[in-house]
Amino acid sequence: MDFGAINPVVLVASLMVAAVPIMLAAIGELVVEKAGVLNLGVEGMMIMGAICGFIVAVRTGSPLAGFAGGALGGAVLSAIFAFLTQFLLANQVATGLALTLFGLGLSALMGQGYNGIKPPVTGPVPFGPLADIPVLGRILFSHDWMVYGSVLVVAAVWWVLTRTRTGLIIRAVGESHDAAHALGYKVNRIRLGCILFGGAMAGLGGAYISLVRVPQWVDGITAGAGWIALAIVVFASWKPWRVLVGAYLFGGITVLQLNLQAAGSTIPVEYLSMSPYLVTILVLVLMSSGRGRAGLNAPAALGQNFHAAR
Amino acid sequence: MLRRTLLATAAAGLGLMATAAASAAAGMDHVKACFVYVGPIGDGGWTFQHHQGALAVKEAYGDKVEVQWQESVPEGADAERVLTQMALGGCNIIFTTSFGYMDATNAVAAKFPNVMFEHATGYKREHPNVSTYNARFYEGRAVVGTIAGRMTKTNKIGYIASFPIPEVIMGINSYYLHAKKVNPDVQLSVVWAFTWFDPAKEADAAKALIDQGVDVITAHTDSTAPLAELAKTPGLVGFGQASDMEAYKPLPRVSSIIDNWAPYYVKRVGELLDGTYAQTDAWEGIAGGEVKIGEITDAVPPEVKAEAEALRDAIAAGTYHPFTGPINKQDGTPWLAEGQVAPDGDLLGMNFFVEGITGAIPN
């Protein structure tokens, strides 16, 4: 591939920004799936986060409140999913898909009258002289706080899942809910907590799109980011740090294809436009071949509903 | 009374079919004017301006017209359903406001010979009840191109293109030619977004251009997202597209190309009311008031502002045509000889870049 006039430093800096929404949504979904729940409604929760965050930010004038509102919006939508799957024992795949469609419709309804409005600006974190360091300054010290926040969330999830008792319980619930139940853990309540966390993270990712990346509201603004987040969880074989790698990879390809165009690459535009999705398919095929490593890493009770009476 | 009107209209319609001429000679007491939009009214650009035109129709004729519209209608099969629904619902005249509605408009027009169809930016008039209308946006592109050539510090200017259709290619060529005229070192980067309205993608495209060192961007897409992206970095320059987009004044928005559809809509509905309506192919520009240049802000040096305004006035007066030779095609073959002015036919079918633009037009 011809990288031509593309500045790698600028490319890395912009892929870090492009990766934030999918990284947040993917790390949330990872926790949900680690607890044995498959929530395919990530796209719906993201777009609810996008509109709720936008409305709150515009009304209050504070981006911080906006992000909180976005997380809340995503969590509220995921609570519907939790109620249906954990208490009414509805099929998780069907409910998740329905959640996406519902979220897309509801967000369009809520967004009426919010088209064409500018949200308050989320500026870069002031690192002072640090931002002027060549190369490193541009890559590491020129972003808004959500970029750093998303990396911290990944670190925190890794630490909780692998180093704490809470993480052990979540993983136990996801591997064998019957065993966890026999030990006295409240399986459904733990899963409820994880689903709400996943919803909040997806909402936060959505709010990042409508408040920082675009920044404005339009119907269908997430444009499939939720599905890429779902693919990243599998790509990462349910390991937090690999979510970070996956998100940067996918974000990087998206940014790269537009940069290649802007730099006057001779590759036809159509191939560039489809490249992120081609890579998604390719990675999923590679992951699922090769002695089923991806399958081995999947939580054993993924997608199975639990009821104490059974 | 109403029944009689209906009968009269029907009779007129039958007459139309017989003579295959689209003139509602009888005139009408009441017109239902319908509009099909490709994006939401709140896009702040293309659709917003069409809606302003629709509201102007209502204001001009009051109770004599009823205005109906539908937003975010996808180009393709859905458009045909929406148009059929509108025609069945009693619309007398239907304005389809995007290039992609071209085939749907003509297909539905064949089934409803008594309903008048007006297709924006298209070229197909397969039935006597289909008219087309467009604006000479390339005239506006010439003015902003001049500003772009003067304002760029990196000598790299960008263009966020939507689809590879003559309308867009015309705009790119005009923008580039006039930037080049005032700044021979200027280089143009074109990014194809393949959408009219997808703010996330438009913002990413703008960001990619900025990352490449482009400091002046014009967009041929409908939202304000490229300006929002430009606004993040001080000193970058952009233009309002379709609408004034005055929220981004004075920087990055230094000027704008405003589509002003109201006079045309008011005129056409009026003609339907008084019975002088006939099939047309309208293509007005700065002179006709369909294309306006938004206020040039103080971020632009006064001499550049004066230069741009002089160009605008010359185009309006008809003393200057943005495509005046000598102009070569991208591959070096001559297109227009010295002093020759591009014929409208060449413009409406334009499928080539002019000499100096790098990159190929996607198929």
Side-chain angles (χ1 to χ4, degrees):
Chain A
M1 231 190 269
D2 170 31
F3 281 73
I6 295 176
N7 180 348
V9 173
V10 175
L11 187 71
V12 171
S14 40
L15 81 83
M16 286 177 75
V17 174
V20 168
I22 47 178
M23 181 152 64
L24 283 169
I27 198 70
E29 178 67 11
L30 181 135
V31 173
V32 177
E33 293 192 12
K34 270 288 183 192
V37 180
L38 183 64
N39 185 355
L40 294 180
V42 181
E43 177 81 4
M45 299 185 301
M46 279 185 90
I47 199 150
M48 277 303 287
I51 185 59
C52 293
F54 192 82
I55 292 176
V56 173
V58 167
R59 286 282 168 87
T60 60
S62 148
L64 192 66
F67 282 112
L72 190 70
V76 167
L77 197 69
S78 71
I80 300 174
F81 175 85
F83 175 71
L84 289 171
T85 59
Q86 300 308 303
F87 296 96
L88 301 180
L89 302 183
N91 180 294
Q92 292 181 7
V93 172
T95 312
L97 292 174
L99 200 69
T100 291
L101 298 174
F102 177 61
L104 287 171
L106 184 64
S107 64
L109 180 69
M110 290 173 69
Q112 294 290 324
Y114 283 93
N115 286 315
I117 295 177
K118 273 199 286 185
V121 176
T122 313
V125 178
F127 279 106
L130 281 179
D132 298 329
I133 304 172
V135 184
L136 273 185
R138 181 81 171 88
I139 294 179
L140 292 180
F141 301 113
S142 67
H143 300 295
D144 57 85
W145 53 270
M146 279 295 288
V147 173
Y148 310 107
S150 62
V151 178
L152 284 181
V153 168
V154 173
V157 165
W158 168 80
W159 186 75
V160 168
L161 280 181
T162 59
R163 295 286 184 273
T164 67
R165 186 177 175 83
T166 317
L168 205 57
I169 296 169
I170 291 175
R171 284 188 291 149
V173 167
E175 292 298 333
S176 169
H177 46 217
D178 290 320
H181 177 66
L183 286 170
Y185 293 119
K186 310 282 187 205
V187 173
N188 285 340
R189 259 185 243 173
I190 291 161
R191 285 184 171 170
L192 171 69
C194 291
I195 292 169
L196 289 178
F197 175 77
M201 287 301 114
L204 213 52
Y208 189 79
I209 297 181
S210 67
L211 290 178
V212 181
R213 189 131 168 259
V214 174
Q216 58 176 221
W217 166 253
V218 282
D219 297 356
I221 194 171
T222 48
W227 300 111
I228 292 179
L230 275 167
I232 288 174
V233 177
V234 181
F235 169 85
S237 52
W238 293 271
K239 288 185 170 30
W241 286 115
R242 290 195 196 168
V243 164
L244 183 96
V245 175
Y248 279 172
L249 191 67
F250 284 93
I253 293 166
T254 315
V255 172
L256 182 66
Q257 65 105 347
L258 284 166
N259 271 284
L260 278 172
Q261 269 199 57
S265 154
T266 48
I267 306 164
V269 181
E270 291 84 351
Y271 292 110
L272 298 175
S273 300
M274 70 170 102
S275 60
Y277 306 97
L278 274 181
V279 170
T280 309
I281 296 171
L282 200 70
V283 163
L284 288 180
V285 168
L286 285 178
M287 294 298 299
S288 50
S289 64
R291 294 183 299 146
R293 277 213 52 193
L296 284 179
N297 265 322
L302 184 62
Q304 295 169 18
N305 281 338
F306 173 77
H307 191 270
R310 244 187 345 209
Chain B
M1 179 59 200
L2 184 64
R3 182 175 294 168
R4 191 174 298 162
T5 320
L6 269 174
L7 285 173
T9 321
L14 282 173
L16 281 183
M17 288 208 307
T19 58
S23 81
M28 299 168 93
D29 294 334
H30 183 268
V31 165
K32 185 169 177 185
C34 302
F35 295 83
V36 184
Y37 302 139
V38 71
I41 290 168
D43 67 354
W46 178 261
T47 296
F48 177 79
Q49 288 301 120
H50 281 286
H51 191 60
Q52 293 300 309
L55 295 178
V57 168
K58 181 73 194 162
E59 199 175 314
Y61 299 113
D63 291 341
K64 288 203 308 199
V65 294
E66 183 186 342
V67 175
Q68 188 194 327
W69 62 84
Q70 188 156 348
E71 297 173 75
S72 302
V73 176
E75 298 173 335
D78 277 349
E80 212 166 313
R81 278 192 284 275
V82 168
L83 285 170
T84 307
Q85 197 64 40
M86 282 183 163
L88 288 173
C91 295
N92 303 109
I93 184 165
I94 301 177
F95 294 91
T96 55
T97 64
S98 183
F99 180 80
Y101 297 143
M102 183 157 65
D103 292 329
T105 305
N106 280 285
V108 178
K111 292 182 232 162
F112 297 93
N114 295 337
V115 179
M116 300 305 143
F117 289 82
E118 296 264 349
H119 179 229
T121 70
Y123 54 80
K124 280 190 190 166
R125 291 173 298 279
E126 290 170 354
H127 308 285
N129 57 332
V130 180
S131 295
T132 51
Y133 62 102
N134 200 351
R136 295 179 186 266
F137 301 117
Y138 66 86
E139 297 182 348
R141 300 277 176 210
V143 178
V144 299
T146 304
I147 301 174
R150 290 283 188 213
M151 293 296 284
T152 179
K153 293 183 190 75
T154 60
N155 289 333
K156 285 183 180 174
I157 60 174
Y159 198 103
I160 301 171
S162 47
F163 293 96
I165 57 173
E167 171 73 44
V168 176
I169 295 166
M170 216 186 306
I172 295 171
N173 284 336
S174 177
Y175 178 68
Y176 174 73
L177 283 172
H178 292 84
K180 179 102 176 164
K181 190 172 268 177
V182 295
N183 181 354
D185 298 328
V186 88
Q187 281 184 320
L188 176 69
S189 298
V190 180
V191 171
W192 295 93
F194 283 99
T195 178
W196 288 114
F197 185 68
D198 180 348
K201 203 165 183 181
E202 293 169 43
D204 283 348
K207 189 162 173 50
L209 284 167
I210 296 165
D211 288 350
Q212 288 305 310
V214 167
D215 62 352
V216 181
I217 295 177
T218 189
H220 209 127
T221 47
D222 298 349
S223 85
T224 52
L227 283 175
E229 185 64 41
L230 285 165
K232 287 178 189 170
T233 315
L236 298 181
V237 172
F239 303 96
Q241 159 66 4
S243 188
D244 196 29
M245 301 188 177
E246 69 277 357
Y248 295 93
K249 272 179 190 172
L251 269 177
R253 177 223 164 276
V254 295
S255 185
S256 60
I257 304 172
I258 304 172
D259 311 354
N260 183 23
W261 302 105
Y264 183 75
Y265 288 164
V266 170
K267 184 179 116 198
R268 293 301 271 170
V269 173
E271 286 173 351
L272 204 57
L273 282 167
D274 65 21
T276 54
Y277 186 93
Q279 182 181 30
T280 61
D281 169 22
W283 201 19
E284 296 295 333
I286 292 179
E290 281 200 3
V291 176
K292 286 183 171 175
I293 303 300
E295 183 209 335
I296 299 171
T297 63
D298 293 340
V300 178
E303 66 276 12
V304 177
K305 183 176 175 176
E307 187 180 18
E309 284 174 346
L311 182 69
R312 177 195 68 193
D313 296 341
I315 293 171
T319 52
Y320 176 74
H321 189 290
F323 290 106
T324 304
I327 300 174
N328 290 343
K329 294 185 183 180
Q330 190 179 29
D331 57 11
T333 56
W335 172 39
L336 297 174
E338 176 82 42
Q340 193 188 349
V341 166
D344 280 358
D346 276 20
L347 295 178
L348 290 169
M350 194 176 255
N351 59 0
F352 57 85
F353 280 152
V354 294
E355 196 170 35
I357 299 181
T358 52
I361 300 171
N363 298 315

